[in-house]
Amino acid sequence: MLTVQEATVPSTPPTSSAEDCSIVTRGLTKRFRGGQVAVDGLDLAVPRGAVFGFLGPNGSGKTTTIRMLLGLAAPSSGSWELLGVSMPRGLPAVLSRVGALVEGPSFYPYLSGEANLRRYDAADPAADPRTATARIGLALDRVGLTAAARKRYRAYSLGMRQRLAIAAALLGPRELLVLDEPTNGLDPQGTREVRALVKEIADEGTTVFVSSHLLAEIEQMCSHVAVMRAGRLVAQGPIAELRAGETVRIRVETPDTAEAAAVLAALGLRGVRSGDGEAGAELGEEAPERVCAALVAGGVAVRGLAVQRPSLEDVFVGLTGEGFDVDG
Amino acid sequence: MSTVSGREVAVSGAGSAAERRPEAARGGGSAPGARAVSAPAALLRLLGSEIGLTFRRPRNIAMLAVLAVVPVLIGVALRAFGGPDDNDGGGPAIFTQVTGNGLFLTFAALSVLVQLMLPVAVAVVAGDSVAGEAGIGTLRYLLVAPAGRTRLLAVKYANAAVFCLAAVTVVALSALLAGLLLFPAGPITLLSGGTIPLFDGLLRIGLVVLYVAAGMAALAAVALALSTLTEVAVGAIASTVVLVIVTQVLGVIPQLSGLQPYLLTHWWSGFDGVLRDPIATGDMGQGLLVFAAYAVVFGSIAWARFTGKDVTS
Amino acid sequence: MSERTRRGRAMRWGVPVAAIAVVAGALGAGPVIAAVQGEPALPERTAEQLLADATKATRADVKPMSGTVIQTASLGLPGLPEVAGMGGTSPAALLAGSHELKVWYGGEGRVRLALPGRMSETDLIANGNQVWLWESDANKATRIKGADARQGAGPEKALPTAATPQLTAAEVLRRAQADTVVEVTNTERVADRPAYQLVLKPKDGASLIREVKLALDGETFVPLRVQVYARSAAEPAFEIGFTSVTFTPPAAENFTFTPPAGAKVEERTFGARDQESGAEHDRAEGLRETIKTVGEGWTSVAVLPFSEKDLKAGLSQGRGGGQSDGQGSGQGGGQGDGRGGQDANAIVDALLKSAKPVSGAWGNGRVVQTKLVSALLTDDGRLLVGAVTPEKLAEAAGRR
Ligand SMILES: Nc1ncnc2c1ncn2[C@@H]1O[C@H](COP(=O)(O)OP(=O)(O)O)[C@@H](O)[C@H]1O
Ligand SMILES: [Mg+2]
């Protein structure tokens, strides 16, 4: 199994200046009463326009971070900026330009979906009441809830509730969208729709900060990722950079494992291993077709040849320990 | 073209993220002058939303309905069984007067309801105001909207005060109607023995409504402060009601009679001052000062707590 | 950063703390302002000058005025709480707690006293020879005949809280004798008016009374407040005084009264009582003759031939005969007589229950002590009462 050394992943904030970032945190820490440190010295830099995946197992401190970013909870120490404005002083001015879904949907059960959105819209001092109906309609339309707009929230399914929460985050023109586990409770079809929606929003120039404990659900839409583990940031950077640090291996299926290993070693490849009907090595700079030719030339009966580019999932699991462990 | 500076609906359009990014940054509306909505108008909109929520909520409507029914029940009972004519039982004489003049049903009903039923209704609405939102999680979305903590608290209190006025008005109107339907009406005999015309009596009922509503609004501040301490609405409501009852008990313990002027409940029934001649403005003014003191102290406690607390629900 | 949030939190809580301080300040502001403002307000006066002025003011016609009087008693009667929950106009109720009385005085025999209760009011309106007692609780107006307010006291005495500052002050002034240390201060403030304060301290250590303070209005010399301090407490055991007062003629409507439609109207002749209480009155008269006093001034002790049975029987007639503290023997407050009797009985029971047995050369008995008054009921049928220590009573009991 391949592992990524922490050192190979750039975990220092990107060199881009704070002005180009939608979110910057410096040493952000949350210590709950009772002494538990839920977030420990977090240095995040979310570039403008990025779709930033905020990954980590359950209990690793993602929601706590988001609460601090949005001013719901005060950090024990550290500072942060949203959209280039220093927080928490700038919160009232900035939050109107930020849409957010925090720890699942919460609405008034006795109101319809539309009335719920109107309620949240009324709370935003920057929202124009004259355009409220249009904006609410559009937000409902974007999440596919137009048909259920007048139904009471109580009667919504879990998926519908999640969609309504996303709609609430899209009530106004947003420069930053913070989505905490937006695919929770959605079926695969819904997950795909959310992904498409995020792409669409990102295409409009909005920065999207999306947290998840499942890499697979957001991997395809993210331009950047950060990985949390037990309150600490263990990796951060553009997704391509994360991938670049990975080791690609070539694997040969053959009955002649010993010969195959010898050929691979002869090619100068490192990490050669063999056994049980296959042999493998790190591909390095070598081209796969040249390895194949060398094997055939070396008389190895090649039954199968595969280049193994480990998925980000593997990287993620490597960084966070066991994927399903709950931190805390 | 999506722009953020104006308040028009963000419309998706063609164009790459790279192209838009600088524009989004520029048009970020960080200039405060870009606001299309004035702050007072936005505050009124939030208050309107809050009031709409309060008065459309089935639970609150039911409470107001009960409050409206009680004066009618009192009136019907007095009509059916007659007033406690022989006053040996020591019952409040005000009930005796109802049978002679329907207008007195308003005073009688308020003097009964102000003891517990009105406070309970106010405790339910004000105690629920913050804790209830925290309990169902809507508080975090309001704050992220961003409602602003001080702004939201102010709106919550204003809404509770409006509910107080509405509840007292409902009782007064219901009692007035029932009184006029069930009993004769005419000039009012004041507690001091003087008599004033019917219309003056109605004006004085208006004063009573305002005074009692102010007393209830002071309780609302207490309930609001308790409401910021918990995420369990029932807890805030129950502790407010318990506080009211404990205060009432303290108010009748003779050894603690020195405490009375400081107790909120002691002043609630001070509206009988309008039935004196001249109107006991001094006493009622003192009552209003006590109400204001409670509102300021507990309002500021609510503020200090609410603006400083982590919303983790 | 955490320091900043901590500082922010401290500042936030500073707001309610400040609010509480402001409210507490407003509550305590009265005395503070008085201390600050009072100093230069009045020219100095000796006790004699002041007494003379005051006596003159009491004799002369009192200026028209109106105001609110509060009477507070904390006499420390043992066992009283059980009965103290009674109605505000019951005579016995005046022995504990705080009572408010509104006063309008229009001159020329025009007086209105109002005793507000919860959703009720008792009014005494005197206009020349027209005297009405209005009780809203009973919806009853009583016309009192034979009383003329122009002839001095009388109607004031008819109301349960008969003691206005004027009357009480006159009583205190009479007592100011050689056995008293008299001091005068000119920095008091009562009912928001600068006032002189006459402090009377008994010289005899056997007196339960530490001092009596009498505040006189700096301008009109009208007594504004009387406070009686017991030796055993820092707060006054008894206090009656104006909390607000204005020396402008009150509106004339205050002194006119027409029984409202539907009210019961009764007539009573002042002085001549109904038969039952007349009999009792006779007995009281007889009693008066048998009272002896031992000692003088502050420490005088009244000796009555009396037994427990007499005490109860007398009280159940509805007259507070046992109240020897010089006030509150609520005569003739037409209402609540029966109730008052019951209350008084209850008080007597409570008092007797708390009585301590004592004995001496004079015999055996039981003694009851309150903050201001001690009473000794001897087994040989004498009741000794005085504002003195029980030892002094025992001493008096020995002097037959
Ligand atoms: N209000 C709270 N009080 C104490 N501990 C909390 C509180 N909220 C969260 N935590 C703890 O903080 C840690 C991080 O929680 P959270 O941020 O919700 O994780 P995630 O969103 O990544 O699943 C967990 O261990 C959790 O138990
Ligand atoms: Mg979470």
Side-chain angles (χ1 to χ4, degrees):
Chain A
M1 187 97 231
L2 287 163
T3 60
V4 176
Q5 301 301 310
E6 272 191 41
T8 66
V9 180
S11 70
T12 48
T15 48
S16 51
S17 75
E19 279 164 46
D20 296 336
C21 284
S22 291
I23 302 174
V24 178
T25 74
R26 293 185 201 88
L28 206 61
T29 301
K30 183 69 186 181
R31 192 174 293 106
F32 280 109
R33 214 169 292 165
Q36 193 196 347
V37 182
V39 177
D40 192 359
L42 192 63
D43 295 310
L44 275 181
V46 178
R48 276 193 199 258
V51 177
F52 195 97
F54 192 46
L55 294 165
N58 287 324
S60 58
K62 304 183 297 294
T63 302
T64 304
T65 304
I66 289 172
R67 282 185 194 284
M68 287 192 285
L69 291 178
L70 299 173
L72 292 173
S76 311
S77 65
S79 65
W80 80 108
E81 287 170 19
L82 288 188
L83 302 174
V85 184
S86 176
M87 299 288 131
R89 212 165 307 142
L91 271 171
V94 167
L95 281 183
S96 291
R97 293 142 61 195
V98 177
L101 189 166
V102 193
E103 193 143 81
S106 289
F107 292 94
Y108 304 89
Y110 45 88
L111 293 184
S112 70
E114 189 188 355
N116 266 298
L117 294 190
R118 198 172 290 277
R119 163 77 173 155
Y120 288 147
D121 193 58
D124 180 358
D128 188 343
R130 285 164 297 186
T131 61
T133 309
R135 285 183 287 112
I136 290 166
L138 187 67
L140 285 168
D141 188 42
R142 288 183 105 172
V143 297
L145 277 180
T146 310
R150 299 197 176 273
K151 248 192 189 176
R152 288 198 172 206
Y153 177 74
R154 189 181 281 133
Y156 278 25
S157 73
L158 184 55
M160 289 161 86
R161 293 175 178 198
Q162 194 77 18
R163 286 162 200 250
L164 190 63
I166 297 174
L170 296 174
L171 274 176
R174 311 293 194 197
E175 286 172 59
L176 171 64
L177 206 56
V178 177
L179 301 173
D180 188 15
E181 315 246 5
T183 52
N184 248 7
L186 293 182
D187 52 19
Q189 171 64 23
T191 306
R192 260 195 300 280
E193 284 171 19
V194 167
R195 248 182 257 145
L197 186 61
V198 168
K199 248 190 148 45
E200 193 187 317
I201 293 161
D203 283 346
E204 289 162 20
T206 303
T207 310
V208 181
F209 183 83
V210 54
S211 86
S212 180
H213 65 282
L214 294 173
L215 174 81
E217 290 200 337
I218 58 167
E219 183 181 353
Q220 300 152 41
M221 59 184 176
C222 291
S223 62
H224 294 69
V225 289
V227 181
M228 293 282 285
R229 178 178 183 175
R232 287 173 176 278
L233 194 64
V234 290
Q236 167 173 238
I239 208 155
E241 267 179 51
L242 261 181
R243 282 225 174 89
E246 295 159 15
T247 330
V248 179
R249 286 181 72 94
I250 189 156
R251 194 174 62 103
V252 190
E253 226 175 285
T254 173
D256 317 319
T257 49
E259 289 86 346
V263 171
L264 291 173
L267 279 170
L269 299 186
R270 285 181 298 165
V272 176
R273 266 179 256 155
S274 65
D276 201 20
E278 62 169 65
E282 290 175 15
L283 191 52
E285 299 298 308
E286 202 62 71
E289 59 272 22
R290 273 179 35 88
V291 177
C292 182
L295 284 168
V296 174
V300 176
V302 178
R303 285 180 180 165
L305 189 74
V307 177
Q308 283 189 324
R309 199 175 290 277
S311 72
L312 207 53
E313 187 75 39
D314 297 327
V315 183
F316 177 55
V317 169
L319 286 172
T320 59
E322 279 310 307
F324 287 99
D325 263 1
V326 175
D327 283 346
Chain B
M1 197 86 189
S2 99
T3 117
V4 202
S5 57
R7 301 307 305 178
E8 67 264 39
V9 178
V11 186
S12 67
S16 75
E19 221 175 85
R20 301 169 163 279
R21 209 173 304 152
E23 198 189 329
R26 233 183 303 118
S30 46
R35 277 198 175 173
V37 192
S38 76
L43 191 72
L44 278 182
R45 185 181 175 212
L46 181 54
L47 180 59
S49 159
E50 194 70 38
I51 290 175
L53 214 57
T54 303
F55 287 94
R56 277 205 298 265
R57 193 156 177 192
R59 181 194 68 189
N60 297 349
I61 296 172
M63 285 195 309
L64 289 177
V66 170
L67 286 176
V69 165
V70 172
V72 178
L73 289 182
I74 295 175
V76 169
L78 287 177
R79 175 75 191 258
F81 307 112
D85 249 343
D86 44 338
N87 203 31
D88 290 349
I94 194 90
F95 286 98
T96 340
Q97 265 144 302
V98 172
T99 46
N101 190 338
L103 246 55
F104 271 96
L105 186 57
T106 314
F107 299 103
L110 278 173
S111 68
V112 170
L113 291 180
V114 82
Q115 300 301 323
L116 196 62
M117 285 190 71
L118 275 170
V120 166
V122 170
V124 168
V125 168
D128 185 59
S129 56
V130 173
E133 302 260 14
I136 60 171
T138 46
L139 182 59
R140 64 174 185 274
Y141 284 113
L142 288 175
L143 291 181
V144 163
R149 296 200 180 201
T150 304
R151 197 168 155 264
L152 183 61
L153 196 70
V155 163
K156 289 279 179 194
Y157 186 62
N159 173 64
V162 167
F163 180 81
C164 292
L165 186 59
V168 179
T169 307
V170 160
V171 172
L173 283 182
S174 152
L176 199 60
L177 281 180
L180 292 179
L181 287 178
L182 293 170
F183 305 104
I188 289 191
T189 301
L190 299 173
L191 295 177
S192 308
T195 302
I196 54 167
L198 185 68
F199 181 73
D200 281 10
L202 292 177
L203 283 185
R204 293 200 184 196
I205 287 176
L207 288 182
V208 167
V209 166
L210 291 178
Y211 179 89
V212 175
M216 291 299 113
L219 177 69
V222 177
L224 187 67
L226 290 170
S227 189
T228 61
L229 296 176
T230 170
E231 283 163 16
V232 188
V234 178
I237 296 167
S239 38
T240 308
V241 173
V242 167
L243 213 59
V244 167
I245 293 171
V246 167
T247 313
Q248 306 261 35
V249 169
L250 288 182
V252 297
I253 296 180
Q255 286 94 332
L256 303 177
S257 61
L259 219 57
Q260 272 186 10
Y262 307 106
L263 302 179
L264 189 55
T265 51
H266 171 77
W267 295 97
W268 282 344
S269 47
F271 63 84
D272 54 2
V274 306
L275 285 178
R276 302 190 197 282
D277 187 21
I279 294 180
T281 43
D283 291 350
M284 292 179 71
Q286 210 163 352
L288 291 177
L289 278 180
V290 170
F291 299 156
Y294 268 85
V296 166
V297 167
F298 283 90
S300 62
I301 288 175
W303 177 82
R305 166 71 185 163
F306 187 58
T307 53
K309 94 170 185 175
D310 283 358
V311 175
T312 53
S313 61
Chain C
M1 292 306 156
S2 69
E3 197 157 305
R4 193 204 291 164
T5 55
R6 219 174 296 136
R7 209 179 325 135
R9 191 161 302 157
M11 267 161 61
R12 258 196 302 276
W13 282 100
V15 174
V17 168
I20 292 168
V22 166
V23 169
L27 287 176
V32 174
I33 293 171
V36 173
Q37 294 184 341
E39 298 271 1
L42 295 172
E44 291 212 357
R45 265 188 165 75
T46 64
E48 284 95 316
Q49 285 172 322
L50 188 62
L51 278 171
D53 284 337
T55 318
K56 219 188 305 167
T58 336
R59 287 217 189 97
D61 263 356
V62 180
K63 272 199 200 171
M65 60 184 281
S66 60
T68 304
V69 175
I70 300 268
Q71 179 232 296
T72 313
S74 99
L75 299 175
L77 291 182
L80 195 61
E82 285 124 48
V83 292
M86 59 199 110
T89 49
S90 157
L94 295 176
L95 293 179
S98 190
H99 300 273
E100 192 187 79
L101 179 71
K102 307 239 169 185
V103 182
W104 293 262
Y105 179 69
E108 292 147 10
R110 296 184 306 155
V111 180
R112 176 181 163 203
L113 303 176
L115 192 62
R118 182 158 285 194
M119 267 291 169
S120 73
E121 190 170 306
T122 304
D123 279 86
L124 185 96
I125 299 119
N127 194 346
N129 58 1
Q130 290 260 14
V131 180
W132 284 97
L133 180 69
W134 161 252
E135 293 156 87
S136 81
D137 249 348
N139 194 22
K140 190 173 81 178
T142 311
R143 175 150 192 196
I144 299 169
K145 285 197 158 177
D148 191 336
R150 278 171 300 197
Q151 287 160 15
E156 286 115 48
K157 276 193 177 140
L159 207 74
T161 12
T164 63
Q166 285 89 337
L167 296 176
T168 319
E171 175 70 19
V172 171
L173 282 174
R174 245 202 352 261
R175 286 211 184 176
Q177 288 167 358
D179 57 352
T180 308
V181 179
V182 181
E183 288 165 13
V184 175
T185 62
N186 60 345
T187 56
E188 268 310 297
R189 229 179 147 77
V190 179
D192 214 23
R193 291 177 65 88
Y196 288 104
Q197 180 149 280
L198 198 61
V199 185
L200 309 171
K201 292 181 186 167
K203 289 175 184 164
D204 191 335
S207 168
L208 287 179
I209 296 170
R210 175 153 52 91
E211 59 191 11
V212 175
K213 289 182 178 174
L214 170 65
L216 301 167
D217 185 60
E219 195 185 315
T220 62
F221 299 102
V222 169
L224 292 181
R225 187 181 63 197
V226 176
Q227 294 169 308
V228 182
Y229 288 81
R231 283 195 195 278
S232 52
E235 296 294 309
F238 174 78
E239 172 171 357
I240 182 166
F242 283 100
T243 54
S244 72
V245 64
T246 44
F247 289 92
T248 49
E253 295 90 82
N254 281 305
F255 309 111
T256 56
F257 181 80
T258 323
K264 277 175 273 178
V265 181
E266 289 180 7
E267 282 204 359
R268 266 204 189 198
T269 310
F270 186 73
R273 290 154 195 274
D274 51 273
Q275 285 187 328
E276 208 182 317
S277 79
E280 191 238 334
H281 186 70
D282 292 345
R283 191 166 42 166
E285 282 295 311
L287 208 67
R288 198 157 297 154
E289 281 156 29
T290 57
I291 293 181
K292 287 187 297 181
T293 50
V294 179
E296 282 206 331
W298 296 97
T299 53
S300 61
V301 173
V303 186
L304 305 76
F306 226 61
S307 73
E308 194 178 315
K309 251 184 240 135
D310 286 339
L311 189 64
K312 282 187 176 175
L315 282 166
S316 61
Q317 304 283 322
R319 296 288 177 263
Q323 299 161 4
S324 40
D325 51 75
Q327 61 84 32
S329 46
Q331 305 275 1
Q335 161 228 23
D337 273 8
R339 190 147 43 109
Q342 278 170 12
D343 294 341
N345 241 343
I347 292 180
V348 169
D349 275 342
L351 287 180
L352 288 176
K353 231 175 273 166
S354 73
K356 276 180 295 190
V358 288
S359 58
W362 45 270
N364 296 321
R366 279 174 295 170
V367 71
V368 178
Q369 187 179 358
T370 69
K371 278 185 197 167
L372 287 182
V373 179
S374 302
L376 172 64
L377 187 62
T378 62
D379 289 353
D380 57 12
R382 287 179 300 152
L383 177 68
L384 293 93
V385 180
V388 293
T389 56
E391 291 74 33
K392 188 86 179 172
L393 281 187
E395 189 192 312
R399 276 199 269 160
R400 284 197 180 248

